[in-house]
Amino acid sequence: MSLPRFLALPLAAFSIVLSLWADPTHAQAYEAKLPEELGTAPDMCALVPCQEVFPGATSFSSRKGQPPYVEAYGADPQAPASKKLLGYVMLSTDITDTPAYSGKPVVTLIGMDVQGRYVGIKVIKHSEPILLLGIPEKALIDFNNQYLGKSVKDQIEVGPSRPDENVLGLDAISGATVTVIAQNQVMQLSGSAVARQVGIIEPTVREPARYALKKKVYSWADLVALGAVKQLQVTPKQVGLDGGGEPFIELWFGDLNHPELSMSLLGKQGSENLRSRLNAGDHAFFVIRTAGQESFKGSGFVRGGIYDRVQVKQGADSFTFRDLDSLNLYGIEAAGAPSSTESGIFIIRAGSFSAAYPWKLAFLGNRVDRATGHRSFANFEAKYWLADEFLEGGRPTVVEPDAPWVRIWKTRALEIGLFAFLLVAVTVVYALRERLTRLSTHKNKWPVNVFKYTAWALSIVFVGFGVMAQPSITQVLTWFHALLFNWTWSLFLSDPFIFLFWVFIIVTVFLFGRGLFCGWMCPFGSLSEAIFKVGRVLGLKRWQKPVPQALHDKLKWLKYAIFFGLLAVSMFSMGLAEVLSEVEPFKTTFLVGVMNRSWPYGLFVAVLLGMSLFIERPYCKYICPLGAALAMPSTFRWFGLKRKQDCNSCKACAVGCGAQAIDADGRIDHRECLHCLDCMVLYTDQKGCPPLAKERKRRERDGLLITPIGRDGYFIPIDLVPAISAKVAQGPDPRMPTPPAVPRYAAGHRGLGWLLAELRDHIWPWSRDGWKSQRAMQMAGFSLAVAASVAWVLTASGRLSESAIIGWWFGWSVYEVLIRMNGKRYVKDGPWWQARYREANWMDMLSYVGFKNLLIGATLFLALKTLGMLS
């Protein structure tokens, strides 16, 4: 069977997968459209199926409390005419908007009885692409069902139970670790928030604050420096609006119970007036709005109602405010205080609150989902804690619970340590590769293979099937979007193995190229290579033929087309990009398992692995979008594999290269090289390398000394006989992927002058040669550069969205490739501080411009965000 038909099978299987995805029955809650008024309607149960999470209930109340919940009633056997309180139903997003892996919350309806036991859970909307395709929603349903019968008072964690610590464990969903960790946090936060309101959980008792007095009056600047007043700012983008220089709302707040703070902020008369209106145990704080048009009091507030936009949170307790809990604030007296457009004093009337302990001001904003238009409330919080000098004896000791990602790192510390050791060990061994290859020969490669095969075995068994740390193109897309729009460290630290693996990948790609990860540590690549080796043992070697080089040179571009296609789709829909990324077989092979997926997924994996019996790493060479993404920066790896001048006429390495990454002139394409090191073994093999074998035989014939092999790959010379022939010397230099080049700016510049000239060359793509040969294209590119610069200015001023500037920047990058190929057709080879330049082919230039402009764009984004010009 020919290769094109082999390739047609996985593509056909992939088409079947997509057709299955199109069936809406596979994902009932994925991006489900919820009623616009769900977050505010008093009769919540008229809009969502409360009956499903509280089966015994016959009726439900309107929303009560803050955060809101509804009461579930049933018939009272002893008084049929009356209703009996059975428990409570809550909507998770009324309480917390904890994001899952998609960056959006899993909207969950939760039922809890009067004893605090969970009686029903229903996910009514989620945005997790992995639950759309690959892992069925039933897996999330089964995960949630583990809560049934458990109490809100229980300490519940994802992972094994620990009875000695009173921890109840939950089985995770393979391949969706971050999702279930976020869901566990949602369940516990929601349940405990309502349980505290209704008295199931007793309120926390805290020691009241004892204030230290310094007999000082503070200015506004002093208060800011001491943390006695804090800022809470919400940007337009955080609530789904177009960004700009003006915040959506900017609030300042602070404590008013401390006598000297109150005196500094309100003046003597205002402070005394406030204290006369406070009862014992009351606690007052102020809030002012200094920017933005949104009201923190709520546009729908009426006398006797609740301020639905502000809350105070201390530990697990939440405090809300009615009109009787507020006082007018007519101005801040502290010197240098900003002017305000809205102000107020709020009073916490609860004995569980103590100003000695940290607390948070929460603003509940109305957020719009840009993709769906759905509106929901989102919490934005700022932490406040009086400094030591304001409290007698200083701040009390507060032990806050570890963040979920911290608990994961602690509970899996041994596995994480072993994984990190493996990554470091592989990096060190590969860095010493020349010592290993010098100990090996073409006929005895075991000094190299013992390490390489060990890495493959550990990659398959421990990394792939054990800790399920198979990197994926979806992580590249997710990290790219997070970097531009909403970077959250805790999200990526929630999977420590993937996080560490990406640190390893980023470092080694820039040091050595993609080959160390792809060739040694990728679980699926290692499995594919192992199957190819097994095929040889089984007697299939006669059918294991390399793909014809001309066909290979065309097919290798397919993976780049897939990568750029996924990247483009992700800019419009991450969900669709996740669906299309099923071209990767990793999820089926390692994360979910073939037996847990429908047959087209298994067929796709079987075809790819079946092809691996006859073709060495077919998926890695022709389809893998992750490999394509890593290949582009590999263009500029610092350390490459060695070549000697004779390689331009000797085909020994090229014939034995399984990746087919060595061309007819002996040059290695480091974007395609998978670092098997066979060519490095030949490089110093006196019998396997034809030029060395020829020289060795000459020396043996003439009775000359057989000297060691030098760093240049030749015997250390002992006579004046040239090591290479004149014909070979005049041929292409195989140590450079393309012929060398000398840019105009590189001649005659040294030191700082050279550095400035190179910086200008990176930023200014036009050239005199280009103006002479392609003036129209140069002019078009210059016009586009001006337009892109204007787009950056408009973005900084808030008149252009981030998505628009990304489009402009992408368009400019395409034109820059064309401009440079017509005037500055060169790139640098190796470390940036060296002056090794070479001619650029189209892929070289695409990699250079794409990577350079990604760095420039990311720098500009970060600079604008730092200056507050982007949200």
Side-chain angles (χ1 to χ4, degrees), residues 218-224 229 252 264-265 286 288 290 331-340:
Y218 300 91
S219 69
W220 182 264
D222 294 334
L223 295 171
V224 172
V229 294
W252 289 88
S264 299
L265 289 161
F286 79 94
I288 61 172
T290 55
I332 297 294
E333 298 293 327
S339 60
S340 62

Side-chain angles (χ1 to χ4, degrees), residues 808-819:
W808 275 104
W809 203 231
F810 178 80
W812 159 247
S813 299
V814 172
Y815 270 89
E816 186 178 352
V817 170
L818 299 175
I819 291 168

Side-chain angles (χ1 to χ4, degrees), residues 71 125 190 235 282 361 367 407 488 524 604 787 849 860:
E71 294 179 337
K125 180 183 177 181
S190 301
T235 60
D282 288 354
L361 177 70
R367 181 165 57 193
R407 292 199 296 269
T488 306
F524 191 84
F604 183 50
V849 171
L860 288 171

Side-chain angles (χ1 to χ4, degrees), residues 16-26 133 579:
I16 295 173
V17 171
L18 290 181
S19 67
L20 287 178
W21 166 74
D23 182 356
T25 61
H26 286 285
L133 186 67
V579 172

Side-chain angles (χ1 to χ4, degrees), residues 358-373:
W359 54 275
K360 296 176 182 177
L361 177 70
F363 172 77
L364 282 71
N366 196 8
R367 181 165 57 193
V368 179
D369 188 322
R370 292 190 181 191
T372 63

Side-chain angles (χ1 to χ4, degrees), residues 472-520:
S472 167
I473 189 61
T474 57
Q475 291 148 10
V476 175
L477 302 179
T478 300
W479 287 29
F480 175 75
H481 282 255
L483 179 65
L484 294 180
F485 300 119
N486 186 27
W487 181 267
T488 306
W489 275 108
S490 60
L491 179 63
F492 302 106
L493 289 168
S494 295
D495 195 329
F497 301 102
I498 291 294
F499 181 82
L500 290 175
F501 219 160
W502 273 105
V503 172
F504 165 84
I505 291 169
I506 292 169
V507 171
T508 58
V509 161
F510 284 103
L511 287 176
F512 311 118
R514 66 175 277 218
L516 182 54
F517 164 70
C518 293
W520 288 49

Side-chain angles (χ1 to χ4, degrees), residues 217-473:
V217 176
Y218 300 91
S219 69
W220 182 264
D222 294 334
L223 295 171
V224 172
L226 292 168
V229 294
K230 288 285 190 177
Q231 182 191 55
L232 192 165
Q233 187 182 86
V234 180
T235 60
K237 187 183 171 192
Q238 289 176 292
V239 291
L241 303 176
D242 290 333
E246 177 77 4
F248 178 73
I249 190 169
E250 180 182 76
L251 304 176
W252 289 88
F253 65 99
D255 182 273
L256 290 177
N257 267 42
H258 190 289
E260 291 178 352
L261 295 182
S262 177
M263 184 80 70
S264 299
L265 289 161
L266 304 181
K268 182 177 180 181
Q269 184 176 351
S271 177
E272 291 175 353
N273 183 48
L274 172 63
R275 297 184 73 81
S276 69
R277 304 178 69 173
L278 295 179
N279 298 320
D282 288 354
H283 190 91
F285 67 97
F286 79 94
V287 182
I288 61 172
R289 180 184 67 191
T290 55
Q293 299 301 314
E294 184 70 7
S295 169
F296 67 79
K297 294 182 178 179
S299 57
F301 177 77
V302 294
R303 183 157 296 281
I306 293 176
Y307 289 97
D308 61 355
R309 295 299 177 89
V310 288
Q311 291 180 4
V312 164
K313 298 180 179 180
Q314 190 168 55
D317 297 318
S318 296
F319 307 97
T320 55
F321 308 98
R322 295 181 177 272
D323 63 331
L324 297 177
D325 303 323
S326 68
L327 300 172
N328 291 328
L329 174 62
Y330 298 105
I332 297 294
E333 298 293 327
S339 60
S340 62
T341 53
E342 187 177 40
S343 59
I345 295 174
F346 293 94
I347 302 170
I348 303 171
R349 306 185 192 278
S352 60
F353 181 87
S354 171
Y357 292 81
W359 54 275
K360 296 176 182 177
L361 177 70
F363 172 77
L364 282 71
N366 196 8
R367 181 165 57 193
V368 179
D369 188 322
R370 292 190 181 191
T372 63
H374 175 71
R375 293 179 176 271
S376 61
F377 278 102
N379 282 287
F380 305 96
E381 300 175 347
K383 185 176 180 180
Y384 187 94
W385 197 359
L386 284 173
D388 285 333
E389 66 180 82
F390 295 117
L391 298 167
E392 285 189 10
R395 290 173 170 176
T397 301
V398 175
V399 180
E400 297 185 357
D402 290 331
W405 70 267
V406 174
R407 292 199 296 269
I408 294 173
W409 284 71
K410 287 182 176 180
T411 56
R412 305 194 71 179
L414 177 60
E415 293 169 285
I416 293 170
L418 291 173
F419 183 67
F421 176 78
L422 172 62
L423 297 179
V424 172
V426 168
T427 304
V428 171
V429 168
Y430 185 80
L432 300 174
R433 62 193 178 279
E434 190 170 350
R435 297 187 184 183
L436 293 176
T437 56
R438 283 178 176 267
L439 295 174
S440 306
T441 66
H442 182 60
K443 293 184 177 181
N444 179 21
K445 300 177 185 176
W446 278 106
V448 171
N449 288 348
V450 69
F451 290 101
K452 188 166 59 176
Y453 290 177
T454 300
W456 289 350
L458 290 172
S459 175
I460 297 168
V461 178
F462 175 60
V463 179
F465 291 109
V467 299
M468 294 185 290
Q470 170 69 67
S472 167
I473 189 61

Side-chain angles (χ1 to χ4, degrees), residues 696-740:
R696 177 183 57 80
K697 290 177 181 178
R698 184 187 75 82
R699 292 192 180 192
E700 289 177 346
R701 183 186 67 237
D702 296 341
L704 300 175
L705 178 67
I706 306 296
T707 57
I709 308 296
R711 293 182 63 82
D712 62 355
Y714 294 102
F715 287 104
I716 295 175
I718 57 174
D719 53 29
L720 298 180
V721 176
I724 56 176
S725 66
K727 181 179 179 182
V728 168
Q730 294 172 3
D733 185 354
R735 292 166 294 185
M736 298 281 277
T738 54

